[in-house]
Amino acid sequence: MKTFILLSAIPGSGKSTWAEQYRLTHENVFVVSSDEIRKELSGKYQNFDHEKEVWDLYQQRINYYRDNFDNVTIIADATNFQNKTRMIYAPVEGFDKKILVVIHKPIKDVLDNNKKRNENKIVPEEVVLRMYRLWEEPSEEVLSFFDEYQRIDGWFDAPKVDESYTYKD
């Protein structure tokens, strides 16, 4: 079975932590992260000088894992905080199951969490606040493209991530 999981949340909500916890507790999981691709291309998570290349590679990697593995779960780790960006992935083909995972947390908690990140991953507070103001709940149209919708309210335990060497950066 080929499963596609699209994450949706503002920075500091725990998308990457959720993805890493899922990867560590399930088999054949690949996480495609826009932040990791930015770091790979420029050496920095917050360098937005190569966005076309970032998103081309993002899509290429999703397609590569889909096309080259039979029993696979691919997690698309990016903010996708508005319906227009979620719709980019709604018509994605070649998957037996598509899941939308939305993570909601109080803005105070998100801002506190953002400050506790590795200094290279901290998103400027004004950017987080702007994204929070522009946040959209998934529309009925978006939801119609997914087989499953999971909404995570508040914090979640991620004990495997705490043990993971690869997550610590």
Side-chain angles (χ1 to χ4, degrees):
M1 175 180 272
K2 295 182 183 194
T3 303
F4 176 76
I5 299 175
L6 180 67
L7 297 181
S8 178
I10 62 173
S13 296
K15 292 179 305 299
S16 297
T17 300
W18 186 94
E20 182 68 358
Q21 179 70 15
Y22 192 96
R23 186 186 71 77
L24 291 169
T25 57
H26 295 78
E27 292 185 12
N28 302 321
V29 175
F30 295 96
V31 178
V32 179
S33 165
S34 57
D35 287 343
E36 292 298 328
I37 293 172
R38 280 187 198 96
K39 183 177 183 219
E40 179 184 319
L41 293 175
S42 70
K44 296 182 179 186
Y45 292 103
Q46 300 297 322
N47 183 325
F48 296 93
D49 293 340
H50 307 282
E51 285 303 279
K52 180 175 179 356
E53 190 175 0
V54 167
W55 294 107
D56 287 348
L57 275 171
Y58 189 84
Q59 189 61 54
Q60 288 170 18
R61 289 181 184 174
I62 289 169
N63 294 343
Y64 174 82
Y65 295 132
R66 178 200 61 206
D67 295 345
N68 290 284
F69 295 88
D70 291 326
N71 185 24
V72 65
T73 298
I74 301 162
I75 300 174
D77 180 3
T79 56
N80 301 302
F81 66 99
Q82 292 182 311
N83 287 311
K84 65 183 176 187
T85 54
R86 295 175 190 130
M87 286 298 292
I88 292 169
Y89 301 97
V92 70
E93 295 183 3
F95 291 96
D96 302 304
K97 188 173 189 180
K98 294 187 289 186
I99 303 169
L100 175 62
V101 175
V102 173
I103 303 172
H104 278 270
K105 295 194 171 117
I107 189 63
K108 179 191 176 308
D109 294 343
V110 169
L111 293 172
D112 288 345
N113 191 49
N114 186 47
K115 290 175 189 171
K116 294 175 187 172
R117 293 169 127 178
N118 171 306
E119 67 183 43
N120 299 317
K121 291 186 175 184
I122 293 174
V123 176
E125 188 170 301
E126 63 273 9
V127 173
V128 176
L129 290 169
R130 180 178 50 83
M131 293 173 100
Y132 181 77
R133 285 190 303 274
L134 295 173
W135 168 265
E136 294 176 346
E137 290 297 322
S139 68
E140 288 301 318
E141 180 182 21
V142 166
L143 293 175
S144 73
F145 284 100
F146 291 89
D147 302 302
E148 189 176 319
Y149 169 51
Q150 295 180 19
R151 181 183 164 114
I152 300 169
D153 289 304
W155 297 105
F156 47 86
D157 291 327
K160 289 288 182 191
V161 173
D162 294 337
E163 301 166 11
S164 170
Y165 177 76
T166 60
Y167 184 72
K168 296 174 183 171
D169 188 74

